[in-house]
Amino acid sequence: GGLAGIGGVVNVLLVGEEQGAIDDDGDENGLSSQDTQNVLGNVATATDAGYFTPNASLTAEENAALFSSGPTNVMGALTDTRDAATTARITGSVVTSSSVDVSGTDRTATDAQLGAISGGAGALSALVGYTRINGSVSATVDGAITASDISVNALSEDLGGTNLFNEPLIAARVRGGVGAAGIMSNISIGTSVNASAGGTLAGDGYGELVVQAADTTTALADANGAAAGGIGVGIAAAIAGRNGSVSASLDDGSLATRFDGITVDAANAGTLRASSIALSGGILGAGSGSIALANDATGVSAVIGSGVLTSTGDGGLSLTAASTTDTSASAKGAAVSGQVAIGASAAEATTSVNVMARDNGRLHRTSGDLVIGASLDGAGTSADAAAASGGVLAGAQASVALA
């Protein structure tokens, strides 16, 4: 605009999200659930059918066709979500076969790329990318199953190599006035992955019973912003998180006999990354702030339930749970001014995963090895922060990185 330019984009992507989770996010950001409901209620009122304004350039018939082509209530779109569940199971059945394979696989990819550019004597651009992936993946066998090999697998992974991706890109450029850019990218995965076997499971002495659950999804939150003018201010924040669960189990009271080997394994892998870049330039002054937060709080468990009886050959019994997620946060900021420039960056990457392997079984007979292990590899947890500033009169910068 000649005097002022304002640009703003908000993108909300919910998969398997429920109203309570929306309220919880409001609470985490300093709003009570009632505050959140009030805001959403106002949005619902403003977008209700009664508030439809005809377009003066269209005929009455065209306006009627436009209004009837789809819903306008934003509140309804936010709250009318569905559970995202992938389920494969055999329950209560009697099965005799050479092999039994039950697999539940969820492959998900999202791509949220936002952009805004504004210009004028004063310019302001703001972007918010908000993605929540929730739901469940399960594979279950529970019955009287006789087979040489029984395989139960639950898996959550990326779709065709495409990641869960959230990247807002913003720019504000002004002519001599104030330019400001504010940007946030927030992505979270809360998928539950479960594989379980129960009932009476019988092999032929040569095959394997394998129960495996794994989450190998990748989530990337990138935020890049720039502002320039007489005074330039750029702020970027990227937040990436995982708080789901991965579990593999032999159910309470199960009988698993005459297998060469039995494996119960739960694995949390994949990549979690938050990256932010904030740039600013101003004739009189410039300031930049860059924040990146990445946190993996997935629960991983491999359990043999109470009262379970097993018998195995040389293949033995293996009960393992492991987490090897790469979790990283990177924040970079730079400010340049003819007078005063200030730059600050902060990055934090945390792994707060709970990994558990637990045997509550009654009796295990094996001619092979009995292996029980839980492992957490935090070598892939890293954080880096960099801040730079340059000013003719003064320049100051600060950076903090925690892993």
Side-chain angles (χ1 to χ4, degrees):
L3 294 178
I6 299 176
V9 177
V10 177
N11 181 78
V12 178
L13 175 60
L14 308 176
V15 178
E17 190 79 22
E18 296 188 6
Q19 180 63 41
I22 298 175
D23 292 342
D24 291 342
D25 285 334
D27 293 340
E28 291 174 3
N29 288 287
L31 295 174
S32 69
S33 295
Q34 187 60 50
D35 292 333
T36 307
Q37 288 292 339
N38 290 339
V39 171
L40 293 175
N42 292 335
V43 171
T45 300
T47 57
D48 192 63
Y51 285 80
F52 174 74
T53 302
N55 190 324
S57 64
L58 301 178
T59 65
E61 291 77 12
E62 289 171 334
N63 274 300
L66 180 63
F67 175 66
S68 63
S69 63
T72 60
N73 190 299
V74 174
M75 178 70 165
L78 284 175
T79 58
D80 187 24
T81 54
R82 300 288 186 267
D83 290 337
T86 302
T87 303
R89 63 187 178 189
I90 297 176
T91 57
S93 300
V94 177
V95 178
T96 300
S97 177
S98 60
S99 64
V100 172
D101 187 348
V102 177
S103 298
T105 303
D106 180 275
R107 297 183 177 94
T108 302
T110 67
D111 189 349
Q113 299 189 49
L114 317 177
I117 298 177
S118 61
L124 171 64
S125 290
L127 285 178
V128 176
Y130 181 94
T131 299
R132 290 292 180 270
I133 308 296
N134 289 289
S136 63
V137 185
S138 64
T140 303
V141 167
D142 186 4
I145 313 295
T146 301
S148 177
D149 292 289
I150 300 176
S151 178
V152 185
N153 291 280
L155 173 64
S156 179
E157 64 179 357
D158 299 329
L159 175 63
T162 302
N163 307 315
L164 302 171
F165 194 70
N166 211 22
E167 182 184 39
L169 177 63
I170 193 171
R173 185 174 183 274
V174 303
R175 299 191 302 271
V178 177
I183 181 172
M184 173 178 284
S185 175
N186 190 322
I187 185 168
S188 178
I189 306 174
T191 304
S192 171
V193 184
N194 174 261
S196 64
T200 301
L201 312 174
D204 61 2
Y206 298 99
E208 306 284 332
L209 169 61
V210 178
V211 183
Q212 291 182 320
D215 187 341
T216 63
T217 51
T218 298
L220 311 177
D222 292 348
N224 304 302
I231 299 176
V233 179
I235 299 175
I239 303 172
R242 291 168 59 141
N243 58 0
S245 64
V246 182
S247 62
S249 64
L250 286 180
D251 295 341
D252 293 349
S254 300
L255 180 64
T257 59
R258 302 191 66 226
F259 292 98
D260 181 61
I262 296 177
T263 298
V264 180
D265 177 72
N268 178 43
T271 300
L272 188 65
R273 187 191 76 195
S275 175
S276 63
I277 299 175
L279 305 175
S280 65
I283 299 174
L284 300 178
S288 67
S290 182
I291 299 173
L293 304 173
N295 178 41
D296 187 358
T298 305
V300 186
S301 63
V303 177
I304 294 179
S306 176
V308 172
L309 301 176
T310 68
S311 66
T312 56
D314 293 341
L317 173 61
S318 175
L319 177 68
T320 56
S323 179
T324 56
T325 304
D326 288 331
T327 303
S328 63
S330 175
K332 298 178 181 180
V336 178
S337 171
Q339 300 290 327
V340 178
I342 299 175
S345 298
E348 182 178 278
T350 57
T351 299
S352 52
V353 176
N354 182 26
V355 183
M356 176 184 67
R358 185 175 66 199
D359 178 18
N360 296 325
R362 179 180 176 186
L363 176 65
H364 304 305
R365 296 179 58 188
T366 181
S367 56
D369 295 328
L370 173 61
V371 177
I372 300 176
S375 63
L376 172 61
D377 184 356
T381 303
S382 62
D384 67 271
S389 66
V392 175
L393 295 181
Q397 65 276 334
S399 61
V400 177
L402 300 173

